[in-house]
Amino acid sequence: MARARRVRTAGQGAGEGVVVARGLRVGAAYGWRLLVVGVVAYAGFVMLGRLQLVAVALFLALVVTSVLRPLVDLLARWLPRVPAVVVGVVGSLIAVLGLLALVGELVASEWGRLGREFGGGVGRIERWLRGAPFHVSPTVMSDLQGKVGSFVSAHRSALVSGAVSGAGRLVEVLTVGALALFCSVFFIHSGDRLWLWFQGGLPRRARDAFGRAGGAAWRTFAGYTRGIVIVAATNAVLVGIALFVLRVPLALPLTLLEFFAAFVPLVGSPIALAVATVVALASRGPVIAIVVLALIVVVGQIEGHVLHPLVMSWAVRLHPVVVAVSVIAGGVLAGVVGAVVAVPMVSVAWAVGSELRGPWARSGEARESKGS
């Protein structure tokens, strides 16, 4: 009896020594799962970094598919599927290349006049800064010009090497464009069959979940892409009209810059308008530059309070804080490409999570109703 009592006491002491609080157990359970998710996410980012060109090409192919698929489906009502795809893709490609050729011709034709206007504009800016209320000393301006010239002379080799590396970048851009065009043709023609083929290789129990997740992801991505195209086109039209009315040089190239910059939410449009402000300041003077600068505020208000709620709310439901953090985080991780793809990726992830969480939430509500 005494020996049994000693064994029981020792067992109770050992049990008391390994008792873990419930909060710590729950935290540890969440902790190792979050650690696994973090490792998987890090591995995914590393893989995307190694295959950045392929990832960008697939992203562009999905963008082209989301934009041109409705047009091809409309053409397929009167044409067979293959000619409809050819007409839609080739016609869009010709339109884009024609617009870029027109912009290049305008820049080349106005480059000489723009250089002379920039020369006179710099002189006007210097006289403006020397007067009231700035009263900048002429020696400050001359010292600034000397520092710029010395910087260019000291870093000439770096600039030349940057230009040479830019030629390599051009080859990469052409490769990405060719792969994106190749993939988009097949996505537009038979993307639904490709998705069904992918689902066929999954276990039967996972096909329904993957089907619902894929549908939610594509609806969100396509809705975001079409919405951002509408927002970018509206911004570009407003800016283009204003620049033409104010007679700012290179109005069409600056309008095209505003269109592409609007694909980076929150920060792209102000940067493009800042470039337009510099052009207006050097060519048309400070008064026109201030008017163009006011466009940043006006277009930003229209985009943030009218266009985005009206056009994007049915496709993407993200808080502005989430959008801002996503853009900055994407820019830190992958530069301009990361800033462009951050918001659609977060939107797709949120939509997939909400779609997959729906049955669980409904089953939980059903169990609660039965228990009550």
Side-chain angles (χ1 to χ4, degrees):
M1 292 294 291
R3 183 179 179 183
R5 190 180 299 112
R6 286 196 300 270
V7 172
R8 187 167 56 252
T9 304
Q12 289 177 355
E16 291 176 357
V18 296
V19 170
V20 180
R22 183 179 182 276
L24 185 58
R25 292 199 306 270
V26 174
Y30 276 106
W32 74 263
R33 288 175 173 85
L34 290 176
L35 184 62
V36 171
V37 172
V39 171
V40 173
Y42 178 76
F45 275 113
V46 171
M47 186 178 298
L48 287 177
R50 297 292 182 90
L51 302 175
Q52 185 176 11
L53 296 181
V54 178
V56 172
L58 290 177
F59 177 81
L60 292 178
L62 292 175
V63 170
V64 173
T65 303
S66 63
V67 174
L68 296 184
R69 183 65 184 262
L71 175 62
V72 172
D73 291 341
L74 182 63
L75 293 175
R77 297 181 180 179
W78 297 280
L79 298 174
R81 188 69 184 179
V82 174
V85 173
V86 172
V87 171
V89 173
V90 174
S92 302
L93 187 62
I94 291 175
V96 172
L97 294 178
L99 182 60
L100 293 178
L102 176 62
V103 170
E105 183 180 356
L106 289 176
V107 173
S109 62
E110 295 188 11
W111 190 255
R113 182 175 64 87
L114 187 62
R116 293 190 297 271
E117 290 183 354
F118 261 80
V122 171
R124 289 196 301 270
I125 293 172
E126 291 181 356
R127 292 190 296 271
W128 178 51
L129 293 175
R130 291 173 187 172
F134 300 102
H135 299 291
V136 178
S137 174
T139 58
V140 175
M141 301 299 297
S142 60
D143 291 342
L144 181 61
Q145 292 178 359
K147 290 180 179 178
V148 172
S150 62
F151 177 82
V152 173
S153 300
H155 298 79
R156 184 172 301 171
S157 59
L159 295 175
V160 173
S161 63
V164 173
S165 64
R169 286 289 183 181
L170 179 60
V171 175
E172 293 180 355
V173 169
L174 294 177
T175 303
V176 169
L179 181 58
L181 181 62
F182 178 80
C183 294
S184 62
V185 170
F186 287 95
F187 290 167
I188 294 172
H189 177 262
S190 55
D192 49 354
R193 293 205 297 267
L194 179 62
W195 176 248
L196 292 176
W197 169 81
F198 172 76
Q199 282 186 286
L202 299 173
R204 289 185 177 275
R205 290 181 297 178
R207 291 177 186 176
D208 180 63
F210 270 87
R212 290 187 289 105
W218 177 247
R219 287 192 300 270
T220 302
F221 183 84
Y224 174 83
T225 304
R226 295 164 191 166
I228 200 66
V229 167
I230 295 173
V231 172
T234 306
N235 284 353
V237 169
L238 294 176
V239 171
I241 292 174
L243 294 179
F244 276 110
V245 170
L246 296 173
R247 293 186 292 116
V248 176
L250 301 178
L252 183 58
L254 292 174
T255 301
L256 192 62
L257 176 63
E258 166 65 24
F259 173 78
F260 287 111
F263 283 86
V264 183
L266 301 180
V267 297
S269 183
I271 292 175
L273 289 176
V275 175
T277 303
V278 173
V279 175
L281 180 63
S283 60
R284 297 282 291 151
V287 177
I288 301 299
I290 292 174
V291 176
V292 175
L293 189 63
L295 281 176
I296 298 177
V297 180
V298 175
V299 173
Q301 294 297 318
I302 294 175
E303 178 182 355
H305 296 283
V306 178
L307 293 178
H308 269 284
L310 193 64
V311 176
M312 305 288 288
S313 60
W314 59 275
V316 181
R317 295 176 177 86
L318 294 179
H319 194 275
V321 174
V322 178
V323 174
V325 172
S326 302
V327 171
I328 295 174
V332 171
L333 292 174
V336 178
V337 176
V340 172
V341 306
V343 176
M345 286 182 62
V346 173
S347 303
V348 167
W350 182 263
V352 170
S354 301
E355 179 66 27
L356 295 180
R357 193 172 59 248
W360 297 342
R362 287 192 294 269
S363 61
E365 292 176 358
R367 286 194 300 268
E368 290 179 1
S369 62
K370 290 180 179 179
S372 60

